[in-house]
Amino acid sequence: MEQDAAATTRLLELRLLVHSEVNGWVVAVNPRAAGLQLSADLRGRAAGLLARADRAVDDLDELIESYDSAQRRSDPAARITHLSALEQIQRRLLVIEAEYREEGLAAQPGERPPEYLDDDSRMRQALARGVTASILYQPVARRTPHTVAYAAGATEWGMQFRVLDEPFARMLIFDRRVAVISTATTNVTAAFIEDPAVVDHLVGVFLRDWERAVRVPWFDEVDRELPEVLRRVGELLASGLTQKAVASRLGLSERTVAAHIARLRERYDAETLFQLGWLMRDGAR
């Protein structure tokens, strides 16, 4: 009986049965008519959800304006926030990393602990929404296998890495709007800087160091021998074939060929595909 009652309830929900309030009858309905009505109901609900989605940001206009006003306070002291608890620093970084949309600059001196590189989900999400990422390392990174492996893989995602054989301070810059610097050698305290003049200065410092830094063939650091397939890809590029044509000639997917080209560009320090073909045609090694 309980199963029958459950089945009846479900059929009523689907409108395959209708219930008469007057005499208590339950009557079967043409499934075609029931299907059309159910479809209309779902379309109506979907239209309502789309309308709510369109209004979502507008409904928060007042709150957004209040938040932005709080961030634009004229008091210079409010533009620099010092945090000394690791959990507070991490929470603040999570908020910033969820909001930036254009560019991330990072100066990371010294050896990078594996746990800092294992969780790459936030960086992948940032790259997926169009963020560019430039990371500055010191030479010790080239002697650290897990860092080399990370840089080699992240290069395929679109990140850029360079190595500078000079001392520099640890620093993160998001959208040239917020800078984060360590305020102690132990890196357990940090200053979050939003003063435009100070951030602009720090961006200039980073770009100056970036220009002096060198690109590293990270893939070759992982595997010193250039695989035959890379040699063949390089030869075909040098002959003037496009990426699509190379993939067709070698029977590989374009995605695989793109990854091989990324490795070759790192090796030959080529900014563009044309430059890579030119360098390889000239016999650069």
Short mmCIF file of all heavy atoms in Angstrom, two decimals, residues 3 11 39 45 102 106 119 122 197 239 270 277:
data_model
loop_
_atom_site.label_atom_id
_atom_site.label_comp_id
_atom_site.label_asym_id
_atom_site.label_seq_id
_atom_site.Cartn_x
_atom_site.Cartn_y
_atom_site.Cartn_z
N GLN A 3 3.82 1.57 -1.22
CA GLN A 3 4.41 1.71 -2.56
C GLN A 3 3.39 2.28 -3.53
O GLN A 3 3.70 3.14 -4.36
CB GLN A 3 4.92 0.37 -3.06
CG GLN A 3 6.15 -0.14 -2.31
CD GLN A 3 6.63 -1.46 -2.88
OE1 GLN A 3 5.91 -2.14 -3.61
NE2 GLN A 3 7.85 -1.83 -2.51
N LEU A 11 3.04 10.19 -9.68
CA LEU A 11 2.29 10.41 -10.91
C LEU A 11 1.50 11.72 -10.86
O LEU A 11 1.34 12.41 -11.87
CB LEU A 11 1.34 9.23 -11.15
CG LEU A 11 2.02 7.90 -11.54
CD1 LEU A 11 1.01 6.76 -11.56
CD2 LEU A 11 2.72 8.03 -12.90
N SER A 39 6.73 20.56 -19.57
CA SER A 39 7.73 21.32 -20.31
C SER A 39 7.52 22.81 -20.14
O SER A 39 8.46 23.58 -19.93
CB SER A 39 7.68 20.94 -21.78
OG SER A 39 8.59 21.73 -22.54
N ARG A 45 10.11 28.13 -15.10
CA ARG A 45 11.05 28.20 -13.99
C ARG A 45 12.44 28.60 -14.47
O ARG A 45 13.13 29.39 -13.82
CB ARG A 45 11.11 26.85 -13.28
CG ARG A 45 9.84 26.52 -12.49
CD ARG A 45 9.80 25.07 -12.07
NE ARG A 45 10.97 24.71 -11.26
CZ ARG A 45 11.25 23.47 -10.89
NH1 ARG A 45 10.46 22.47 -11.30
NH2 ARG A 45 12.32 23.21 -10.16
N GLU A 102 43.39 40.09 -14.19
CA GLU A 102 44.25 40.44 -15.31
C GLU A 102 45.67 39.90 -15.21
O GLU A 102 46.16 39.26 -16.13
CB GLU A 102 44.29 41.96 -15.48
CG GLU A 102 42.92 42.57 -15.79
CD GLU A 102 42.97 44.07 -15.86
OE1 GLU A 102 44.09 44.64 -15.77
OE2 GLU A 102 41.90 44.69 -15.98
N ALA A 106 54.90 37.63 -9.32
CA ALA A 106 55.39 37.03 -8.08
C ALA A 106 56.90 36.91 -8.10
O ALA A 106 57.48 36.36 -9.04
CB ALA A 106 54.77 35.65 -7.88
N ASP A 119 49.20 22.42 -4.56
CA ASP A 119 47.83 22.87 -4.81
C ASP A 119 47.84 23.95 -5.87
O ASP A 119 48.07 25.12 -5.58
CB ASP A 119 47.21 23.40 -3.51
CG ASP A 119 45.76 23.81 -3.69
OD1 ASP A 119 45.20 23.54 -4.78
OD2 ASP A 119 45.18 24.40 -2.77
N ARG A 122 43.91 27.00 -7.64
CA ARG A 122 43.57 28.43 -7.72
C ARG A 122 44.27 29.09 -8.89
O ARG A 122 43.70 29.95 -9.57
CB ARG A 122 43.92 29.14 -6.41
CG ARG A 122 43.09 28.66 -5.22
CD ARG A 122 43.13 29.64 -4.07
NE ARG A 122 44.47 29.89 -3.60
CZ ARG A 122 45.11 29.13 -2.71
NH1 ARG A 122 44.53 28.04 -2.23
NH2 ARG A 122 46.32 29.43 -2.30
N ALA A 197 50.49 54.64 -5.31
CA ALA A 197 51.86 55.08 -5.54
C ALA A 197 52.87 54.01 -5.12
O ALA A 197 53.86 53.75 -5.82
CB ALA A 197 52.13 56.38 -4.79
N SER A 239 60.72 24.38 -41.49
CA SER A 239 60.44 24.30 -42.92
C SER A 239 59.26 25.15 -43.34
O SER A 239 58.94 25.25 -44.52
CB SER A 239 60.20 22.83 -43.32
OG SER A 239 58.95 22.38 -42.80
N ALA A 270 62.22 31.72 -27.61
CA ALA A 270 61.47 32.34 -28.71
C ALA A 270 60.14 32.87 -28.19
O ALA A 270 59.40 32.16 -27.51
CB ALA A 270 61.23 31.32 -29.82
N GLY A 277 60.58 29.22 -35.50
CA GLY A 277 60.93 28.63 -36.78
C GLY A 277 62.19 29.25 -37.37
O GLY A 277 63.05 28.57 -37.93
#
